[in-house]
């Protein structure tokens, strides 16, 4: 049963289309795939198992071509846009003929034992065969030939066998063997063989290998007026072509004075079967039908629902906070609702593309963060550039502060580290270790005899905001280029500590407030950021509160492709990821590549 048949031009425009009565499902998927393969010229699929389909497609294609010769001959796609190819009657007639002929032929049924030759043989006859005429004949090839020729005279039921017979019969006529018995033919051939053998030595010199003309590849003629500098036709490579290619070339028929390639493509699945005969040379009135199937569809929320659900789950699996994944999908749906889909696109690919674009947009910095330039500007104003680091415990504040120190030193700036984590035991010592290491990497001798990194510390239990203020004043006096203020890690729910942080920032007005967060967190990252920002706003003591200016995303090396925290953090703050920590050495500091993150996020 044929469900779907369409004839379209090489450009993918539907000239005519048939849809079987039983078809209720959309053929979008297979037709899209099909058109993709047609347009890209990469595939030739033949999966459909209907026995009559080859001949049927040829018939349809020839009928269509002959009938609409003039219309197809007209160049220019738009000229034929309104032409209605009334081909239904011809198609139905051809389909009926094809189905009838396939039924008439039917599969060759097996012979019963009684019908078979074996049933005619007696034991005696078998013995006679073994010891009789055959014993006198040379064993091997010729015996086989004799048998074959004998078989030829028997009536054969299967079509294929009939074909064989007729070709063998033809051979006999050509060789002048008509009316000869098998023995006589063998004898004749034997004589011919000996004659040839005696003649061959004399002929040999003349039979020296003829200089063979090198087979030249023919350039493909692109019938839609296209051209290519590359020869893409490999069908006659080495003088051979594979089955599929032969099949394609065999169908090149001259239509309307040109030589359009006429190709057949078949797509079939359990539920959907599509047969498409493709001819080149025009477009027609059924254009709208394919549009309905594969494109120009106005998207509704319902169309996108299942795809959006999958996308949401995918994002959550990649560590995007659940709430943000939902919000993102909602905004994509709103953006796409009512939009007309591209002609050959699917809902899934449209949604995916829109989501991808949104993600890239989220990660692209809304404002310029150029620390090195800002430091130089501060230098010109004869003041240090101040960066404050905040975040919860253990996320990598101190480590990444040290990495940023190293990066600044490498760029020619001097750094003062303000040890304002007066809370956690060991925090000051940890910073001192970093200071020593950094100074050994950049010895004072290389920097005019002064250590390029210094630590400003007042021990534990003191007011962090006060220490930061002193450090900034010291840096100004000592002409340090940058002050990096380390603060105690605190949980976002710890109100007193959050108030203290807000105060430190409000009092010292750093140039940059960086939130340090782990790439490992999902939903937690959003909670942290929302609460940190809220605390800064609540306790800022000014009309214009200083909020988080940027993010340091740490431990990025540990998350594989679960990069969702980057999205959650930037989405919730609207602030850029300024640095990415990718390990535990001073060199493991990177800037974010938005497209790489999005591609990791979209990866299945
Ligand atoms: P703090 O409490 O926020 O100051 O966190 P630390 O700076 O003490 O870092 C906590 C742990 O995280 C340490 O063992 C660091 O070596 C480690 N760490 C920090 N940044 C990174 C990073 O980018 N990648 C990896 N793999 N580990 C890191």
């Amino acid at each position: 049963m044929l469900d779907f048949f369409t004839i379209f031009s090489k450009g993918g425009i539907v000239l005519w289309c048939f849809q079987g009565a039983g078809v209720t499902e959309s053929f979008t998927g297979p037709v899209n795939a099909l058109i993709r393969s047609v347009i890209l010229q990469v595939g030739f699929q033949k999966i459909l198992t209907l026995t009559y389909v080859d001949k049927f497609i040829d018939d349809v294609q020839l009928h269509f071509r002959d009938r609409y010769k003039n219309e197809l001959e007209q160049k220019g796609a738009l000229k034929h846009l309104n032409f209605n190819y009334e081909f239904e009657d011809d198609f139905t007639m051809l389909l009926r003929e094809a189905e009838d002929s396939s039924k008439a032929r039917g599969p060759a049924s097996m012979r019963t034992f009684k019908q078979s030759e074996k049933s005619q043989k007696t034991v005696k006859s078998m013995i006679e065969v073994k010891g009789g005429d055959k014993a006198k004949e040379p064993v091997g090839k010729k015996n086989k030939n004799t048998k074959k020729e004998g078989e030829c005279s028997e009536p054969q039921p299967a079509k294929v066998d009939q074909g064989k017979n007729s070709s063998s019969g033809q051979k006999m006529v050509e060789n002048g063997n008509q009316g000869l018995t098998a023995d006589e033919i063998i004898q004749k051939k034997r004589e011919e063989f000996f004659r040839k053998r005696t003649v061959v030595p004399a002929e040999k010199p003349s039979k020296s290998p003829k200089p063979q003309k090198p087979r030249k590849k023919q350039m493909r003629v692109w019938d839609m007026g296209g051209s290519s500098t590359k020869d893409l036709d490999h069908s006659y490579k080495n003088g051979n072509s594979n089955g599929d290619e032969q099949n394609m070339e065999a169908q090149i028929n001259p239509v309307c004075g040109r030589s359009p390639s006429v190709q057949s493509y078949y797509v079939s699945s359990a539920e959907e079967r599509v047969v498409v005969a493709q001819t080149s040379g025009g477009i027609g009135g059924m254009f709208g039908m394919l549009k309905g199937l594969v494109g120009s569809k106005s998207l509704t929320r319902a169309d996108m629902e299942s795809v959006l659900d999958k996308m949401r789950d995918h994002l959550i699996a990649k560590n995007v906070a659940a709430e943000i994944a939902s919000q993102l999908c909602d905004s994509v749906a709103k953006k796409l609702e009512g939009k007309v889909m591209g002609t050959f696109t699917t809902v899934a690919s449209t949604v995916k593309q829109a989501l991808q674009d949104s993600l890239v947009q989220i990660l692209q910095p809304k404002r310029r963060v150029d620390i090195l330039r800002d430091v130089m500007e501060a230098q010109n104003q004869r003041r240090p550039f101040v960066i404050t680091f905040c975040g919860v415990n253990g996320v990598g504040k101190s480590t990444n502060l040290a990495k940023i120190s190293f990066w600044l030193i490498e760029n020619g700036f001097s750094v003062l580290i303000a040890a304002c984590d007066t809370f956690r035991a060991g925090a000051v010592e940890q910073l001192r270790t970093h200071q020593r290491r950094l100074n050994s990497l950049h010895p004072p001798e290389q920097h005019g005899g002064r250590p390029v990194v210094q630590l400003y510390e007042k021990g534990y239990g003191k007011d962090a905001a006060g220490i930061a203020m002193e450090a900034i004043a010291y840096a100004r006096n000592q002409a340090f280029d940058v002050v990096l203020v380390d603060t105690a890690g605190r949980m976002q729910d710890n109100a007193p500590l959050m108030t203290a942080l807000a105060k430190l920032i409000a009092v010292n007005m750093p140039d940059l407030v960086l939130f340090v967060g782990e790439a490992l967190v999902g939903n937690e990252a959003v909670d942290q950021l929302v609460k940190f920002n809220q605390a800064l706003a609540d306790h800022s003591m000014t009309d214009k509160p200083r909020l988080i200016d940027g993010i340091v995303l740490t431990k990025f090396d540990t998350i594989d492709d679960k990069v969702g925290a980057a999205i959650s953090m930037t989405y919730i703050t609207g602030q850029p990821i300024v640095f990415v920590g990718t390990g535990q050495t001073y060199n493991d500091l990177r800037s974010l590549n938005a497209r790489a993150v999005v591609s990791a996020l979209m990866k299945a």
Side-chain angles (χ1 to χ4, degrees), residues 394-400 403 430 555 557-558 581-584:
V395 290
K397 280 185 305 305
S398 313
T399 309
N400 286 280
K403 289 185 205 171
Q430 190 180 350
K555 310 187 187 180
D557 51 311
T558 63
T582 56
Q584 303 191 40

Side-chain angles (χ1 to χ4, degrees), residues 363 556 561 563-564 566-567 592-602:
L363 290 176
F556 209 72
D561 63 352
V563 294
I567 292 292
L592 190 90
N593 179 342
R595 292 201 176 269
V597 170
V598 172
S599 86
L601 208 55
M602 299 304 286

Side-chain angles (χ1 to χ4, degrees), residues 213-239:
K213 273 190 198 168
R215 263 189 196 269
K216 237 188 160 184
K217 258 168 92 175
Q218 298 292 308
M219 281 281 282
R220 168 161 283 175
V221 180
W222 296 97
D223 35 69
M224 288 296 283
S227 67
S228 168
T229 47
K230 281 183 187 172
D231 185 359
L232 301 175
D233 183 358
H234 304 285
S235 56
Y236 292 105
K237 214 169 187 177
N238 304 324

Side-chain angles (χ1 to χ4, degrees), residues 51 101-112 115 155-162:
T51 51
S101 76
S102 87
K103 269 183 215 154
R105 266 203 313 269
S109 55
M110 280 171 60
R111 280 183 294 179
T112 61
Q115 288 169 333
Q156 299 292 320
K159 197 188 165 203
V160 180
D161 289 345
Q162 277 166 6

